[in-house]
């Protein structure tokens, strides 16, 4: 087993073990086991989220894990149910490097993947990389994809879903920003939190994001 596959197995084993500490309705334990998967190329799990006794895993692959590789690093997402079986998996990307960073679910079971892309995933690339945010239904259908950036190298840092709002936080060059989207994919606000290296120049203040 390659080191990448061992990473997959260890990461998922840790997460599903944590999931088993929380009883679903009725008191039954999910009882998920380790799920190992991967290709002969470089694969890695970057983030995990739980839903109804199962787990979502997102990460990156340089191989053809669930679809033909687009040319560099692709993003993947897979859903494993409480019955230990894979419910669905997806792989997507551009001919350039694309990387997942965070994953989160809402109360309806929809799942959001936040990361960075080096290509035109949802619109023309600006700068060296852009943020992307993609929404899937619980059944694995793509609902929408958004790509946004401030003409600098983007580094995704965190993702939160609260009610009908989706908050994606990251670093754009020397600035830390938060994007707020509705569950329908509309960008409703952008806040500048901190500008480096002058740590005294922090907000929030609204900045114009280039969509």
């Amino acid at each position: 087993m390659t080191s990448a596959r061992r990473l997959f197995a260890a990461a998922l084993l840790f997460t599903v073990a944590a999931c088993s500490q929380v009883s679903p309705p009725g008191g039954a334990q999910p009882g998920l086991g380790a799920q190992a998967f991967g290709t002969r190329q470089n694969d890695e799990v970057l983030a995990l989220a739980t839903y109804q006794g199962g787990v979502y895993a997102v990460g990156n692959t340089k191989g053809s894990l669930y679809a033909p590789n687009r040319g560099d690093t692709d993003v993947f997402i897979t859903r494993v149910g409480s019955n230990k079986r894979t419910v669905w998996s997806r792989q997507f990307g551009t001919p350039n490097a694309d990387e997942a960073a965070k994953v989160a679910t809402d109360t309806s079971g929809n799942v959001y993947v936040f990361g960075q892309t080096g290509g035109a995933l949802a619109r023309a690339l600006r700068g060296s990389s852009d943020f992307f945010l993609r929404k899937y239904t619980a059944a694995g259908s793509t609902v929408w994809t958004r790509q946004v950036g401030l003409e600098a190298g983007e580094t995704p840092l965190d993702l939160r879903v609260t009610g009908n709002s989706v908050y994606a936080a990251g670093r754009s060059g020397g600035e830390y920003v938060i994007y707020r989207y509705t569950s329908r994919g509309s960008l409703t606000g952008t806040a500048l939190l901190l500008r480096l290296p002058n740590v005294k120049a922090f907000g929030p203040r609204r900045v114009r994001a280039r969509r």
Side-chain angles (χ1 to χ4, degrees):
M1 180 180 287
T2 67
S3 60
R5 292 191 180 189
R6 285 195 295 270
L7 174 61
F8 269 80
L12 287 180
L13 178 59
F14 175 83
T15 302
V16 297
C19 293
S20 67
Q21 302 303 312
V22 181
S23 299
Q29 296 290 335
L32 285 172
Q35 298 290 323
F37 48 92
T39 71
R40 294 183 179 274
Q41 308 300 320
N42 292 331
D43 312 301
E44 56 183 349
V45 171
L46 273 300
L48 302 140
T50 59
Y51 181 71
Q52 291 187 343
V55 62
Y56 287 100
V58 299
N60 307 323
T61 178
K62 284 186 174 290
S64 297
L65 185 61
Y66 300 119
N69 184 274
R70 296 296 303 272
D72 200 304
T73 304
D74 282 355
V75 175
F76 75 83
I77 176 172
T78 187
R79 178 182 179 183
V80 178
S82 58
N83 60 359
K84 307 180 184 180
R85 297 179 180 178
T86 299
V87 181
W88 54 264
S89 302
R90 303 288 184 267
Q91 179 175 335
F92 63 92
T94 71
N96 299 313
D98 309 290
E99 299 180 357
K102 297 293 181 179
V103 61
T105 59
D106 63 22
T107 56
S108 298
N110 301 301
V111 59
Y112 302 81
V113 184
F114 181 44
Q116 65 186 60
T117 176
L121 189 62
R123 59 127 167 104
L125 178 71
R126 290 187 173 91
S128 59
S129 63
D130 284 347
F131 295 119
F132 77 81
L133 181 63
R134 175 169 288 195
K135 178 182 180 178
Y136 289 95
T137 66
S141 298
T142 302
V143 181
W144 47 258
T145 304
R146 299 292 182 264
Q147 184 171 339
V148 66
L150 295 173
E151 296 185 346
E154 321 295 330
T155 303
L157 298 176
D158 206 356
L159 179 67
R160 292 288 187 273
V161 180
T162 303
N164 291 322
S165 296
V166 184
Y167 297 89
R171 188 176 66 226
S172 179
E175 299 180 342
Y176 287 84
V177 294
I178 291 181
Y179 297 99
R180 183 178 66 189
Y181 287 87
T182 67
S183 59
R184 295 186 176 183
S186 298
L187 181 62
T188 59
T190 306
L192 173 64
L193 299 182
L194 178 68
R195 177 180 286 120
L196 299 177
N198 183 8
V199 296
K200 294 182 180 180
F202 63 93
R205 71 172 176 82
R206 298 178 71 85
V207 296
R208 179 175 296 178
R210 298 185 180 272
R211 290 181 263 184

